[in-house]
Amino acid sequence: EKKMSFKNNLSKVNYYFRRYGLVEVSKKIFKRVFHIKENRKTNQEQYKIWMMNNQLTSEEIEKQRKHKFRFEPKISVVVPMYNTDKVFFKELVDSLKSQTYEKWELCLADGSEVPNELLKDYMDDESIKYNFLNSNLGISENTNRAIEMATGDFIGFLDHDDLLSQDALYEVVTAINS
C-alpha cells in the first residue's frame, strides 16, 4: 500500500513538474513537507473579489450609455420559461433593463400552466415580448418559440434564472464592431 501511495505521489510530482516547472514543484514540496497551508479561496469568494474589482463606476456606466458604435445591432435575448420563480424572473428582467447598451429585446416563451403574473409590471415596455404557450413544449421547443419572436440582428440565449452584468451587451457589441 505504501509503494502504491509513493508511486501515486511520484506521478503527481512528475505531472506537476512537466506542467509548471522545477520552481513551482519545489515550492509545492516545501509547503507539503513543512505543512504550510495555502490560503485558497472558494470559487464563490474568488468571484466576489473579481466582481468588486471589475464593477463599473458611475462614470464608466455613463460613458458606455453615451457611446455611439459604428454598427449598432439589435440584440434579441431569447428565454424559454417554465414555472419561473418570481424572484428569478424579476432579476432577469432587471439585469436587461440596466444594460448600458440599450438596443435589445427580450423574447420570452412561457410553457407554464399559468401566465407569469409579474409580466404585467413590464407590459408597457416595448422591448419585452411574451408568448404564453399554455403547455410546456420542452426547453428546445420553448426556445424555438422565443426565437420566432426575435427581430434582432443577433440572438443571445439565456435561461430563465440567468443574469447579465450591466455591461454584457455593451461588450458583445464592442466585439461585433471589432
Side-chain angles (χ1 to χ4, degrees):
E1 194 173 300
K2 281 195 173 210
K3 272 189 173 180
M4 189 61 142
S5 177
F6 178 75
K7 277 186 173 180
N8 191 25
N9 284 339
L10 195 55
S11 81
K12 284 181 184 177
V13 169
N14 185 30
Y15 168 79
Y16 204 83
F17 174 76
R18 282 184 287 125
R19 184 155 186 163
Y20 300 106
L22 180 63
V23 173
E24 291 302 315
V25 168
S26 302
K27 287 179 188 177
K28 189 130 183 131
I29 292 171
F30 181 81
K31 289 176 182 177
R32 289 279 170 103
V33 169
F34 294 104
H35 305 289
I36 298 171
K37 296 208 183 229
E38 294 182 41
N39 185 14
R40 290 192 172 167
K41 295 186 180 344
T42 65
N43 288 342
Q44 195 170 22
E45 291 170 326
Q46 290 175 359
Y47 183 67
K48 281 182 181 177
I49 291 168
W50 184 89
M51 283 297 292
M52 286 188 319
N53 292 333
N54 291 282
Q55 213 165 18
L56 294 175
T57 65
S58 55
E59 292 81 21
E60 290 170 319
I61 291 169
E62 194 58 36
K63 182 178 176 188
Q64 286 185 9
R65 286 210 165 114
K66 289 180 179 177
H67 184 88
K68 293 292 179 211
F69 290 97
R70 181 177 40 80
F71 175 51
E72 294 188 332
K74 182 189 222 180
I75 309 291
S76 295
V77 179
V78 300
V79 179
M81 296 173 63
Y82 179 72
N83 294 338
T84 302
D85 183 279
K86 293 173 188 168
V87 172
F88 292 157
F89 179 74
K90 183 172 177 4
E91 288 177 344
L92 166 71
V93 174
D94 289 346
S95 81
L96 278 157
K97 290 178 79 72
S98 72
Q99 290 297 300
T100 57
Y101 181 76
E102 296 176 346
K103 200 169 178 190
W104 58 265
E105 67 181 357
L106 175 60
C107 303
L108 303 161
D110 191 352
S112 305
E113 291 87 24
V114 295
N116 187 309
E117 64 184 47
L118 285 179
L119 195 67
K120 62 182 175 256
D121 296 340
Y122 301 103
M123 289 306 285
D124 62 336
D125 191 333
E126 293 177 14
S127 58
I128 299 176
K129 298 177 178 182
Y130 179 76
N131 183 4
F132 177 64
L133 304 175
N134 205 24
S135 68
N136 187 19
L137 305 174
I139 192 165
S140 311
E141 193 55 35
N142 290 0
T143 302
N144 287 337
R145 296 291 177 91
I147 292 170
E148 289 171 1
M149 293 185 282
T151 61
D153 302 297
F154 291 88
I155 294 178
F157 298 94
L158 291 180
D159 284 333
H160 64 179
D161 58 352
D162 286 344
L163 301 175
L164 291 177
S165 65
Q166 198 170 9
D167 61 338
L169 296 181
Y170 177 88
E171 294 299 335
V172 168
V173 175
T174 299
I176 290 169
N177 275 271
S178 292

